[in-house]
Amino acid sequence: MEICVDLKNSTIDKSEIENRRDEARSLFQDIWEKKLSYCGWVDYPGRISKSLVQEILDTAAKIRSESDILLVLGAGGSFMGAKAVIDMLEPPESDVEIIFAGYNFSARYVREILRRMEGKEVSLCVISKSGTTMETLTAYSIFEEWMKNRYGEAASERTYVITENTSNYLRRKAESEKIHCFDLEKDIGGRYSVMTPVGLLPVAVAGIDVQEFIAGAAKLASENAFTEANLDYAIVRQKLYGVGKNVEVFESFDPYFGYFGEWLKQLFGESEGKEGKGILPYTMTFSRDLHSMGQFLQQGTPCFFETLLSVDDVEGGEALDYGVPNTALESLAGKTLNQINKCAERGVFDAHVKSGIPLVEISIPKQTPYYIGMLMYYFEVQCAVSALLAGVCPFDQPGVEAYKKETRAHIQELDARK
Ligand code: PA5
């Protein structure tokens, strides 16, 4: 595997890991053979049709040619994957700004976006698998009004919808207004949908090579990719949970990691956090958070383990590096930022290993669309197998209905008060 997973500092014995390998492998086989519902994502990178990829590329080219801003409306899995990829990989020369909304009810947030859209050419992409998510549809109605005021009937030609092919509110609206609609397969849940048009369209508009992104995932998306030791990370997570490590701290030394961390939090949190079980996913970006949470990690309650995400050849190597001038502190002068960042990464790793914190290190050779695609697919597989090892279904989210029901009740009360 081109992803390197170092488990030797995980504190879990090799023999304990080996004991669960057959079980993990058989659970992966169940996913691969789609014996459970919502496993459509597992072979998707290898079977996505050329015509769909072309449709995405053509649409992205149209959006890029006529827009300064692409406003993407979506919540949870309908935006986080795309935002994660764009934040980490967007080329500096990209001249279309991608703004994400439709995942909160904040008036200030909407007002700020409306301000940013003044005088700009805008396209709109509305993403909701169910076609019923309140945050997304509320934002859609506000921004649709703006689009209609600005472009009149042509607004629908600058609007794109990605939803399931069922008769949901969003699809009915898209069809009645002749809006370009991308289908989302029923058997792929939101948090596993980054390789579908949900992730691919915004990522393509940002100027990122989606074919490479898919190719990286497709390299792993085969029946035989997860044999032998390749599911050990999932096993180690469950072993650590079994000895009271209830929190997993995902960490990176890339300041653009923030939304990748949010994507991981959603993937693991929504997949595993049920039936009173689950490892709480937490994220830290270093070296910023070393100055706030470094103390806790080193000497606080030992309730966690760390998963360090590392890139061997940072930011494309020397070409994008900066030398530290000779006027700097003596020990730093003449080094480059990438060299110093790597030293910080190795220093933190060594210090945490010495203090006995269980540590997993997952590295990719380069931060490119190919390897980020591969890494995201790797995490999807590990997450699904890990949840199944814990005895919970990775693909549902029954708990989120409770808050939606209570929210709707409060909204109805507003009507009653009129
Ligand atoms: O992973 C999931 O299924 C959820 O987080 C959804 O992505 C999120 O709730 C948004 O749902 P929808 O795409 O139906 O608007």
Side-chain angles (χ1 to χ4, degrees), residues 100-359:
F100 290 89
Y103 55 86
N104 60 39
F105 294 112
S106 164
R108 185 175 168 196
Y109 192 80
V110 167
R111 200 171 55 230
E112 172 57 18
I113 292 173
L114 289 170
R115 190 192 62 74
R116 283 160 73 182
M117 293 191 329
E118 269 168 35
K120 298 279 170 68
E121 300 298 339
V122 178
S123 292
L124 185 62
C125 177
V126 190
I127 309 178
S128 173
K129 178 176 159 75
S130 61
T132 58
T133 297
M134 278 189 288
E135 289 90 336
T136 308
L137 295 182
T138 308
Y140 184 17
S141 58
I142 293 169
F143 292 113
E144 180 191 28
E145 192 170 71
W146 186 94
M147 292 289 285
K148 285 189 170 159
N149 285 338
R150 173 75 188 266
Y151 298 110
E153 285 191 1
S156 58
E157 289 158 28
R158 310 177 69 99
T159 302
Y160 305 87
V161 159
I162 304 173
T163 188
E164 213 173 62
N165 194 0
T166 51
S167 175
N168 64 56
Y169 171 85
L170 185 58
R171 176 166 288 271
R172 287 198 307 273
K173 185 170 165 58
E175 280 172 359
S176 75
E177 296 184 18
K178 297 194 171 37
I179 289 171
H180 188 150
C181 205
F182 288 88
D183 287 350
L184 186 52
E185 288 186 12
K186 195 169 182 338
D187 207 25
I188 302 179
R191 58 191 175 275
Y192 293 84
S193 69
V194 66
M195 309 284 160
T196 73
V198 169
L200 298 180
L201 183 59
V203 165
V205 175
I208 295 164
D209 188 337
V210 289
Q211 283 162 309
E212 278 294 295
F213 179 66
I214 299 165
K219 186 80 194 292
L220 279 195
S222 81
E223 189 172 3
N224 297 321
F226 290 93
T227 50
E228 295 160 359
N230 289 343
L231 293 163
D232 285 359
Y233 169 54
I235 298 172
V236 161
R237 296 182 78 254
Q238 288 306 321
K239 288 280 174 194
L240 288 167
Y241 182 56
V243 294
K245 303 299 177 190
N246 295 330
V247 179
E248 178 170 19
V249 182
F250 291 101
E251 53 201 31
S252 159
F253 279 74
D254 177 358
Y256 298 98
F257 163 75
Y259 255 94
F260 195 86
E262 292 303 315
W263 178 80
L264 285 169
K265 265 160 58 182
Q266 191 210 354
L267 180 67
F268 283 94
E270 247 180 12
S271 299
E272 287 190 320
K274 48 198 77 155
E275 299 178 29
K277 300 180 199 169
I279 301 166
L280 179 70
Y282 191 83
T283 59
M284 289 190 201
T285 303
F286 295 156
S287 61
R288 182 194 67 191
D289 296 343
L290 291 170
H291 297 271
S292 55
M293 295 302 290
Q295 169 62 32
F296 190 100
L297 293 175
Q298 196 75 42
Q299 295 179 334
T301 312
C303 59
F304 62 90
F305 62 100
E306 296 175 45
T307 298
L308 172 66
L309 303 180
S310 174
V311 180
D312 298 338
D313 180 5
V314 185
E315 290 182 20
E318 284 172 23
L320 285 170
D321 204 356
Y322 284 98
V324 177
N326 286 333
T327 47
L329 266 183
E330 209 176 300
S331 59
L332 302 175
K335 321 282 188 315
T336 73
L337 282 180
N338 285 349
Q339 284 174 331
I340 297 169
N341 205 26
K342 237 337 160 202
C343 291
E345 183 189 288
R346 297 339 296 168
V348 169
F349 186 88
D350 292 347
H352 290 190
V353 167
K354 277 183 192 155
S355 68
I357 301 166
L359 235 152

Side-chain angles (χ1 to χ4, degrees), residues 16-177:
E16 283 189 70
I17 301 173
E18 283 165 1
N19 285 344
R20 289 199 88 177
R21 274 189 187 158
D22 286 349
E23 188 189 352
R25 170 67 204 169
S26 135
L27 292 170
F28 174 72
Q29 197 64 33
D30 288 348
I31 297 169
W32 184 262
E33 288 170 13
K34 302 184 185 160
K35 289 188 181 158
L36 305 152
S37 301
Y38 295 104
C39 291
W41 57 274
V42 75
D43 58 354
Y44 193 84
R47 70 178 164 83
I48 183 169
S49 73
K50 282 198 179 130
S51 59
L52 176 57
V53 174
Q54 197 52 56
E55 186 184 344
I56 289 167
L57 292 175
D58 293 345
T59 307
K62 175 176 182 289
I63 293 171
R64 285 176 70 79
S65 72
E66 60 190 23
S67 325
D68 303 308
I69 290 176
L70 172 66
L71 177 59
V72 181
L73 308 181
S78 286
F79 90 102
M80 280 194 186
K83 172 98 176 111
V85 177
I86 292 170
D87 282 3
M88 285 202 299
L89 294 174
E90 189 173 23
E93 65 277 11
S94 177
D95 45 11
V96 181
E97 189 185 0
I98 319 281
I99 301 178
F100 290 89
Y103 55 86
N104 60 39
F105 294 112
S106 164
R108 185 175 168 196
Y109 192 80
V110 167
R111 200 171 55 230
E112 172 57 18
I113 292 173
L114 289 170
R115 190 192 62 74
R116 283 160 73 182
M117 293 191 329
E118 269 168 35
K120 298 279 170 68
E121 300 298 339
V122 178
S123 292
L124 185 62
C125 177
V126 190
I127 309 178
S128 173
K129 178 176 159 75
S130 61
T132 58
T133 297
M134 278 189 288
E135 289 90 336
T136 308
L137 295 182
T138 308
Y140 184 17
S141 58
I142 293 169
F143 292 113
E144 180 191 28
E145 192 170 71
W146 186 94
M147 292 289 285
K148 285 189 170 159
N149 285 338
R150 173 75 188 266
Y151 298 110
E153 285 191 1
S156 58
E157 289 158 28
R158 310 177 69 99
T159 302
Y160 305 87
V161 159
I162 304 173
T163 188
E164 213 173 62
N165 194 0
T166 51
S167 175
N168 64 56
Y169 171 85
L170 185 58
R171 176 166 288 271
R172 287 198 307 273
K173 185 170 165 58
E175 280 172 359
S176 75
E177 296 184 18

